[in-house]
Structure formats: C-alpha cells, structure tokens
Amino acid sequence: MHRQMLPESIPGSMTSSRAEEKLDVRRRVWKTLRTVARPDSRFHFDFTSFITDFEGSDRATARLVELSSYKNSTVVFITPDNCLEELRLRALRDGKTVLMTTYGIRRGFWELDPVKIEESQYANAAMLDGMERLGTPLSLADILAKRWHIPFMVTGTGAINTRGVRFGKGHGFFDLEWAILYTLGVVDQTTVAAAIVHDCQVLEEELHPEEFDTLCEVVVTPTRVLHVPDVQKPTCGVLWPLLQPNMLERIPPLQELKAMSLQKL
C-alpha cells in the first residue's frame, strides 16, 4: 500500500541555531575521525563530500552480519558509503539482493542481484564504479513492480549518538532515500535502520533531530553493537519545500516521485 505522497503540513525550515549545532558536531567528530579515516581517491579527506572508510570497518562489518535483522533479510538497502564496500560484497556472497543509490541519488537506484552477477565479479560490483557496470538501474516504477518489503537498511554517517540520532555530511541523502522508499511502501516502521561507524563517531551527548531525520536503532562499531529502543523513523515522506536548492532538478528519482504524487491528486 502506497504512503501519502504529499505531507499534510510542512514545518518551517531548519533554524540557524540547529544548523550551527549540527555543523559543530560534525567538525568535532571529523577532527578525530581523520586519525583513523582512509582517504578517498577523489575527495581525499573532504568529509563534506563522502562518508569515509576507517580502520576497523571490517570488524564492524563482521559484527553486523551476525545480527538476525541482517540474516533474515533477502533484500537489503545499503548506502554507497566507502565504509560499506565490504558489507555490499558480503551481502552478495550471502545471496542477498542489494538495493542502493549512487552519487547523491543523482544516478538513481540500482539493484545488485547475486544471481545475475558472476561470483568472480562480486568484488567489482560492490564498488561504486563497478556497480554501474554490473548492476541494474531501477526506476521507482521498477521498484514498485518488484513488490519488495525491505526489512533492513544500512548507512554510514558522520556522527551518531547512543540514541541513534545521526548527522551525516549535511546533504540529507539517507533521509531522502528513506522518505522515497517509505512513500513507495517499500520500507516502514518495522524496517531496521543500522549504521556502521568508528567508535570515535559515537557520541554520548544529546543531539536534536529534525522531523525528517532518519534515526538508527542499531549502531555497529569495530568494538560493539548498540541497540537503541523505541526508535521512531519519519512518516512524513519528502518535505518538498525543505529540499535544498536545485535538489529536485538534480535527482531524477525525486522528479519521478513528484510526478507520481501529482497523478494521485
């Protein structure tokens, strides 16, 4: 069943104080993260442009794949973050279909089907460049036609606290991915959202989420697994007036979703 495609009410834009809070948190975490981060071939250590891989991400991945939420999922959504490359490879080897986006959702959603990809090519498919050669692009209509329910989503992030509130690069891509899939009815409140991060990215302090921020009920680091109780993920869908400038023009899935919503009116 499809969710309502246009929210009934739109809250005001983020206050300057809230934006400053998020920026301060990111800067503090990024300063420490740089000591364990692995530079990106294109963005080096510009954490505003990518979610970095880090020392111990393999151990965090090993912890995550032992979770029942992962083991019981035949389809998983995994973001294109650098720290999740090994997880995407592991999911393919475990026979799971991987749904993901790439390049800030600008190239849309892609399916990595382990049945359609030669096993010798799994490692290439798990990387962003290889994914586009070996995966299958999916429109939102294609996703609907598959009649999926995705029980497990995994993301990297910039900072996250022990209550599952996450502050990413500042672009809101994971929140948009959740909002799009929620609107399609592909994910819901039973879907588990997990984050793989380094221990230095986990904060004890209180963070204040926006209505559209997608909280995680599982936080996995190289040394531990945190389970967050009573997490309520957004049900508002895409808040169109709050999109960053030109985001609608740059992201084809948003354009498709907007067309779908207009057809429903």
Side-chain angles (χ1 to χ4, degrees), residues 140-212:
L140 300 190
D142 293 332
I143 294 174
L144 280 175
K146 290 181 176 292
R147 305 183 70 83
W148 278 334
H149 174 264
I150 298 178
F152 196 57
M153 300 178 71
V154 189
T155 185
T157 194
I160 192 167
N161 72 357
T162 54
R163 297 297 300 166
V165 181
R166 34 167 293 284
F167 292 169
K169 301 186 297 292
H171 305 301
F173 292 136
F174 186 60
D175 301 319
L176 273 181
E177 289 156 351
W178 167 269
I180 292 169
L181 294 176
Y182 183 86
T183 299
L184 297 179
V186 176
V187 299
D188 57 28
Q189 288 293 327
T190 67
T191 299
V192 174
I196 282 184
V197 294
H198 191 272
D199 289 277
C200 73
Q201 294 173 272
V202 182
L203 306 175
E204 297 288 341
E205 67 194 76
E206 184 177 2
L207 303 178
H208 302 94
E210 303 288 342
E211 179 184 2
F212 50 79

Side-chain angles (χ1 to χ4, degrees), residues 13-265:
S13 60
M14 188 190 310
T15 64
S16 59
S17 60
R18 188 67 58 85
E20 285 297 325
E21 175 198 24
K22 291 188 174 185
L23 182 60
D24 174 67
V25 168
R26 291 187 183 102
R27 285 174 173 169
R28 283 190 283 112
V29 170
W30 287 343
K31 183 177 180 180
T32 305
L33 181 61
R34 183 165 176 141
T35 65
V36 295
R38 293 172 175 148
D40 183 82
S41 59
R42 287 157 291 191
F43 302 117
H44 195 45
F45 286 111
D46 177 11
F47 297 144
T48 66
S49 298
F50 76 110
I51 298 295
T52 185
D53 193 11
F54 50 81
E55 296 173 10
S57 62
D58 55 338
R59 299 196 303 275
T61 298
R63 291 180 182 278
L64 183 137
V65 299
E66 292 302 315
L67 298 173
S68 59
S69 301
Y70 170 85
K71 290 182 176 180
N72 295 335
S73 301
T74 57
V75 181
V76 294
F77 180 89
I78 304 176
T79 60
D81 300 325
N82 290 19
C83 60
L84 302 183
E85 182 178 312
E86 183 170 342
L87 176 62
R88 294 190 292 269
L89 173 58
R90 175 61 186 267
L92 290 173
R93 288 176 173 169
D94 289 341
K96 301 182 186 299
T97 297
V98 176
L99 180 66
M100 61 182 294
T101 61
T102 184
Y103 294 99
I105 325 179
R106 286 190 289 273
R107 297 187 190 176
F109 287 84
W110 291 73
E111 175 189 30
L112 304 181
D113 185 341
V115 175
K116 298 178 181 178
I117 301 171
E118 293 185 11
E119 187 172 354
S120 62
Q121 294 296 312
Y122 283 176
N124 287 333
M127 296 186 293
L128 295 189
D129 294 338
M131 175 270 296
E132 293 202 5
R133 293 194 298 270
L134 298 166
T136 303
L138 297 178
S139 67
L140 300 190
D142 293 332
I143 294 174
L144 280 175
K146 290 181 176 292
R147 305 183 70 83
W148 278 334
H149 174 264
I150 298 178
F152 196 57
M153 300 178 71
V154 189
T155 185
T157 194
I160 192 167
N161 72 357
T162 54
R163 297 297 300 166
V165 181
R166 34 167 293 284
F167 292 169
K169 301 186 297 292
H171 305 301
F173 292 136
F174 186 60
D175 301 319
L176 273 181
E177 289 156 351
W178 167 269
I180 292 169
L181 294 176
Y182 183 86
T183 299
L184 297 179
V186 176
V187 299
D188 57 28
Q189 288 293 327
T190 67
T191 299
V192 174
I196 282 184
V197 294
H198 191 272
D199 289 277
C200 73
Q201 294 173 272
V202 182
L203 306 175
E204 297 288 341
E205 67 194 76
E206 184 177 2
L207 303 178
H208 302 94
E210 303 288 342
E211 179 184 2
F212 50 79
D213 283 335
T214 308
L215 278 62
C216 294
E217 53 258 76
V218 181
V219 182
V220 184
T221 80
T223 65
R224 57 179 175 162
V225 177
L226 301 177
H227 294 275
V228 183
D230 304 322
V231 166
Q232 296 296 314
K233 292 181 285 294
T235 60
C236 57
V238 176
L239 299 177
W240 302 100
L242 299 189
L243 293 179
Q244 295 179 14
N246 301 319
M247 188 171 273
L248 179 60
E249 291 76 12
R250 295 196 310 265
I251 299 179
L254 281 178
Q255 298 166 22
E256 186 179 1
L257 188 69
K258 186 77 167 180
M260 288 179 174
S261 68
L262 293 174
Q263 292 171 8
K264 291 287 183 178
L265 294 178

